Amino acid sequence: MVDRPGTRVRVAVIGTGLIGGSVLLRLADAGLDVAGWDPDPATRDRAQGRGVVAPATIEQTVADRDLVFLCGPLPTLPETLARVAELTAPGCVLTDVGSTKVEVAETADRLGLIDRFVPGHPMAGAESAGLTAASPTLLAGAAWVLCPAGGAATDAFRWLTGLLVELFGARVVPMSAPAHDSAAALASHVPHLLAGALAGATQRAPLRDAVLALAAGSFSDGTRVAGTPAERTANMLLGNRDRVLHELDEVRAFLDGLAAELRADDGPALIARYTEARTARLALLDRRFAGQAREFPAGGDHDSEVAWLRGLGDVGGHLTGCRIGPDVVSYTAWLPVAD
């Protein structure tokens, strides 16, 4: 059990859709004192039907909590952060699960909440939405981005890292908010555009039903996220618009190269380009890591610690442990091994 010194951790989850509901159910399964709130009364009733405390108001839900997960729709997170901060004690750690990080991190900075707000993003999901689709195992072993900052904010990051590793088996990826949004644009957001384009073109095709009859793994895998609720996808893309458009230009340039080589009947050039693409795919399927242990002073301004953490995430590394001692904090890190 992850405890703060001398206490039992009390957690609240605000917004109990797919991700928030999965967080809520996992914490309840782990035996934590957890409560969830959703603006939809039927969803709150459904949570109670699954044995989870679901008060009628945000005020009741976050009262006297040590940690609050903000899990509502992306555009609502800045306002929800401000409201929950007013309702909770200064020692209550706040985090979110939104798919973009810069806007909410800037809101926290503007509100003076950097010391206790840790921007977060678990890299997991499903096509379906809502608490009915949530599962206590959905986030098990997920890469979970957390954005560390210096000073007192590092204390919140350390504690939250330990909790996520213990309760979710998370692979915590420490990154700055801008680095997250840039990487997520290509890792997650552009794939939604490509899936939508392929599925949308199929929907308009004269032989749509014949296409669907022939569709196998390549089509199914390539269009899976097109099944995501449209509003959720639009919020994600608009929330990271500039970076998504930049990475889309890079993808378009590669696609234009493929098209040009196809028009030119240039088989060797096509083979070379697909060999390049295959390298990334194989690296994804067979990633190897080497362990590394690092220690930092528990006190101080933590600048060198934060720089190391962000650098770890930038090179594709992650954390699987964080032990906080009276004088030293110890991390268990994993860095990718070069091909």
Side-chain angles (χ1 to χ4, degrees):
M1 183 66 65
V2 178
D3 287 336
R4 304 189 91 162
T7 68
R8 181 188 180 202
V9 178
R10 305 186 70 216
V11 187
V13 178
I14 304 302
T16 56
L18 175 67
I19 301 300
S22 296
V23 171
L24 180 68
L25 294 174
R26 171 59 190 139
L27 297 178
D29 274 7
L32 269 69
D33 180 349
V34 60
W37 181 83
D38 195 276
D40 177 33
T43 300
R44 297 198 299 270
D45 290 343
R46 196 171 293 117
Q48 290 175 336
R50 298 185 71 164
V52 180
V53 175
T57 67
I58 289 183
E59 288 82 359
Q60 292 170 303
T61 305
V62 303
D64 301 319
R65 297 285 151 172
D66 303 298
L67 170 64
V68 179
F69 287 87
L70 309 177
C71 306
L74 191 62
T76 70
L77 291 179
E79 181 180 351
T80 303
L81 173 61
R83 183 177 181 189
V84 170
E86 291 179 350
L87 297 172
T88 52
C92 176
V93 174
L94 310 174
T95 189
D96 75 309
V97 299
S99 57
T100 64
K101 298 273 64 79
V102 168
E103 182 182 8
V104 71
E106 290 176 346
T107 297
D109 189 28
R110 186 171 64 253
L111 295 175
L113 299 173
I114 290 298
D115 61 333
R116 64 183 179 117
F117 176 67
V118 184
H121 180 204
M123 302 300 295
E127 302 161 45
S128 46
L131 183 60
T132 55
S135 165
T137 63
L138 178 68
L139 304 174
W144 198 310
V145 175
L146 291 180
C147 302
T154 314
D155 295 331
F157 170 87
R158 295 165 174 172
W159 178 74
L160 185 57
T161 293
L163 185 145
L164 295 179
V165 168
E166 181 173 339
L167 295 179
F168 294 90
R171 293 174 288 119
V172 173
V173 182
M175 304 183 80
S176 70
H180 165 273
D181 285 5
S182 293
L186 195 53
S188 175
H189 304 165
V190 170
H192 279 75
L193 284 173
L194 300 178
L198 179 56
T202 300
Q203 178 64 17
R204 295 180 177 184
L207 294 176
R208 188 203 77 151
D209 291 335
V211 172
L212 297 178
L214 298 179
S218 58
F219 184 90
S220 179
D221 292 346
T223 60
R224 182 183 63 81
V225 294
T228 302
E231 183 177 0
R232 192 168 76 192
T233 299
N235 286 339
M236 176 184 68
L237 296 173
L238 291 169
N240 200 22
R241 181 182 60 187
D242 291 344
R243 293 173 179 85
V244 171
L245 289 173
H246 171 76
E247 297 302 338
L248 182 62
D249 285 342
E250 298 298 312
V251 172
R252 184 183 291 113
F254 199 94
L255 183 60
D256 287 345
L258 286 170
E261 289 148 8
L262 182 59
R263 290 190 188 97
D265 198 24
D266 191 341
L270 275 174
I271 291 170
R273 196 172 288 266
Y274 269 103
T275 299
E276 181 182 358
R278 186 171 182 267
T279 300
R281 172 64 180 178
L282 293 180
L284 172 65
L285 298 177
D286 186 28
R287 301 196 76 202
R288 293 174 291 116
F289 294 87
Q292 181 185 102
R294 284 295 301 266
E295 292 185 346
F296 295 91
D301 60 13
H302 314 312
D303 286 348
S304 61
E305 180 180 345
V306 171
W308 175 78
L309 287 166
R310 291 177 174 175
L312 176 70
D314 287 348
V315 299
H318 61 271
L319 302 170
T320 58
C322 179
R323 186 164 51 87
I324 306 168
D327 301 312
V328 172
V329 57
S330 303
Y331 290 102
T332 302
W334 296 87
L335 289 87
V337 176
D339 296 336

